[in-house]
Amino acid sequence: MNKFFKYIGLMAFAIMTSTSFATADETDDLKEQIADLKKQISDMRHSFSRVNKGITDIQMHHIMGDVAHIERVRMTGPALGKDHDFSGDGEQNPLTLTNPFTFTSYVFFPKDLDPNKKYPLLVFPHQGVHANFNVENGQLYRELIAQQYIIIAPDYRGSTGYGKRFYESIDYGGKEIADAKAARDYMVENYAIVDEDRVGIMGHSHGGLITLMNLFEYPDAYKVGFADVPVSDLIARMGYKTQGYRELYETEYHIGESAFENHDEYIKRSPAWNTHKLETPLMVYGNTNDDDVNILEIRHLVKSLKADGKDFIYKEFEDIPGAHNFARMDHKVARQARYDIYKFLEDHLSPERPFNNIKEMEKASYMFVSR
C-alpha cells in the first residue's frame, strides 16, 4: 500500500511539474505577444501623428492663408553623430548618422511685402518635447505678420508627424538648438528680403528653452529674444515631475541617463545654468500658477541672470487664467501681455508696421476691437 501511495505521489508530482512548465511556456508566449502589441501600438502612434500633421497643415492655410504666403521648406542641421542610439529596430546605415540631418520648417511671408525692401525675421521654435509647429494660437502669428515680420518655424529633430526615426532623433537641449540656428541661417542665406541685421527669436515653454540657448550659444546671430514661460532648469524639473516624465529623458535615444546619474549633462542643457553667456536683449515672462513650467524654474533663471550682471526684462504675472498658456489666451490681460512683447521686439527689430495701440493689434488678429 505504501508503494502504491508513493507511486501516486510521484505521478502527481510529475503532472504538477509538467503543468508548471506548460504554464511558464504560455506565460512567456503571452509576454512576447504583449511586447509585440506594444510595438505595433507605438508604430501606429507615429502613423496617426503623420495624419494629424497633415490635418494641421490644412488648418494652417485656412487660418493664415489670407494674410501670408506659406512655404514648407527642407534644410539640414548637424549630423546625428556616430554615438546616436535608436530604439533597437535594426542595423543603421552609417551615412544616416554622419550625413547632415534633414528637417522641415514653415516660412510665412506677409502677402503685401515689397520685394525691393528688407524685412525683419523672427525664428519661432515650437513648444513641447516631441511636438510640432501648428497654428493653434493663430492670432499670435496673424499679429506678427500684420507688423510685417517674416517668420520661420522649424520642426527640429524629435518633432512628431515625421515618423518614428525622426521622433527618436531628438537631442533635447542639444542639437535641436543648432537646428533652430540652421533655420535662421537658411533664411538669411536664401532670401534677399530678409534683413540679416534684424533677426529675432521667440518661443514658448520648450521653445523658450531653445530661444534662450540660441541666444547663449549664438549671440551674434540675433538682435533680440523673447522667452515665454521657458523651461529653464532641468535639474529642478526632474525633481518635481513624475517618474513617467523622467523616464522620457532616460530612454536610449534621448539623454539616456537620469539627472541623478549624469547631472552635468542636464546642467549643460539648462538655460538657468548658462546665463553667463547672454549678450543679447532679452525679455522673459513667468506666471505663478503655471501648471507645466513651475515658477521656481523661471525664478532660478532670473536669479542667475542677475547674479551674472545681465541686463534683461522680466515680468512675473500673478495667477493669470490660462496658466502655462496665459499669454496666448483671448482675454485682456493676455492681449496686453502680447502687446508689450511686440513693443519690446519693435525697439530692436523696427518692423514696417508696428502697432500703435492694442486696438490695432486686435483688428489684426480678431478682425474686431474689444470694449
Side-chain angles (χ1 to χ4, degrees), residues 67-340:
V67 295
H69 291 291
I70 305 172
E71 293 187 6
R72 196 167 183 263
V73 296
R74 289 167 66 79
M75 56 199 61
T76 57
L80 290 171
K82 294 180 180 179
D83 59 343
H84 184 85
D85 286 323
F86 289 99
S87 59
D89 56 347
E91 294 183 5
Q92 307 300 318
N93 183 334
L95 292 178
T96 301
L97 302 177
T98 57
N99 281 338
F101 182 79
T102 302
F103 64 97
T104 298
S105 295
Y106 295 87
V107 184
F108 299 85
F109 298 99
K111 278 194 169 180
D112 53 354
L113 291 183
D114 182 343
N116 298 310
K117 290 183 177 181
K118 287 184 176 291
Y119 294 86
L121 171 71
L122 280 174
V123 180
F124 211 113
H126 66 72
Q127 70 268 27
V129 184
H130 294 306
N132 55 47
F133 179 76
N134 62 67
V135 289
E136 179 181 353
N137 304 107
Q139 77 276 26
L140 174 66
Y141 310 113
R142 293 182 68 91
E143 289 162 0
L144 291 169
I145 288 169
Q147 297 172 76
Q148 301 283 277
Y149 286 108
I150 297 171
I151 302 170
I152 183 164
D155 269 350
Y156 46 85
R157 65 191 69 203
S159 298
T160 53
Y162 300 92
K164 182 178 179 181
R165 283 296 181 86
F166 195 94
Y167 180 96
E168 294 185 356
S169 296
I170 189 170
D171 186 21
Y172 184 99
K175 291 177 182 177
E176 61 182 14
I177 309 300
D179 287 346
K181 169 61 161 48
R184 178 261 182 211
D185 292 344
Y186 172 87
M187 294 300 294
V188 169
E189 294 167 3
N190 289 280
Y191 294 95
I193 57 173
V194 171
D195 188 343
E196 63 180 328
D197 294 321
R198 288 189 293 163
V199 180
I201 183 169
M202 63 186 297
H204 169 80
S205 191
H206 179 56
L209 178 148
I210 292 180
T211 292
L212 291 168
M213 296 301 282
N214 261 267
L215 296 179
F216 298 160
E217 298 300 327
Y218 311 107
D220 296 332
Y222 303 100
K223 198 78 171 178
V224 65
F226 168 69
D228 183 29
V229 292
V231 173
S232 301
D233 185 349
L234 294 181
I235 298 292
R237 191 169 182 79
M238 295 303 119
Y240 70 78
K241 289 293 187 180
T242 64
Q243 180 57 28
Y245 184 88
R246 290 190 285 269
E247 287 173 356
L248 174 66
Y249 295 79
E250 296 168 16
T251 56
E252 57 189 347
Y253 59 81
H254 214 293
I255 293 177
E257 296 176 290
S258 69
F260 175 78
E261 295 168 320
N262 192 349
H263 62 274
D264 286 343
E265 194 64 35
Y266 283 76
I267 286 174
K268 184 175 73 173
R269 298 164 189 259
S270 298
W273 296 86
N274 288 274
T275 53
H276 58 283
K277 301 176 184 178
L278 180 68
E279 298 178 16
T280 311
L282 170 66
M283 176 185 271
V284 178
Y285 276 1
N287 189 14
T288 56
N289 66 351
D290 195 323
D291 51 1
D292 187 328
V293 179
N294 192 289
I295 194 66
L296 70 87
E297 284 195 60
I298 302 173
R299 286 175 178 169
H300 183 194
L301 172 73
V302 170
K303 284 186 177 181
S304 295
L305 287 165
K306 289 180 178 179
D308 287 323
K310 301 303 179 179
D311 186 20
F312 65 102
I313 296 173
Y314 175 57
K315 294 189 177 183
E316 183 169 298
F317 294 78
E318 185 74 26
D319 295 340
I320 304 301
H324 186 56
N325 296 296
F326 82 97
R328 298 178 165 207
M329 299 294 287
D330 296 317
H331 49 60
K332 288 188 176 181
V333 175
R335 293 173 192 171
Q336 182 65 59
R338 291 202 301 278
Y339 183 76
D340 292 343

Side-chain angles (χ1 to χ4, degrees), residues 16-34:
M16 290 174 62
T17 303
S18 64
T19 303
S20 176
F21 282 131
T23 303
D25 289 341
E26 289 174 359
T27 300
D28 290 341
D29 184 57
L30 185 59
K31 287 180 179 179
E32 289 181 8
Q33 292 181 46
I34 292 173

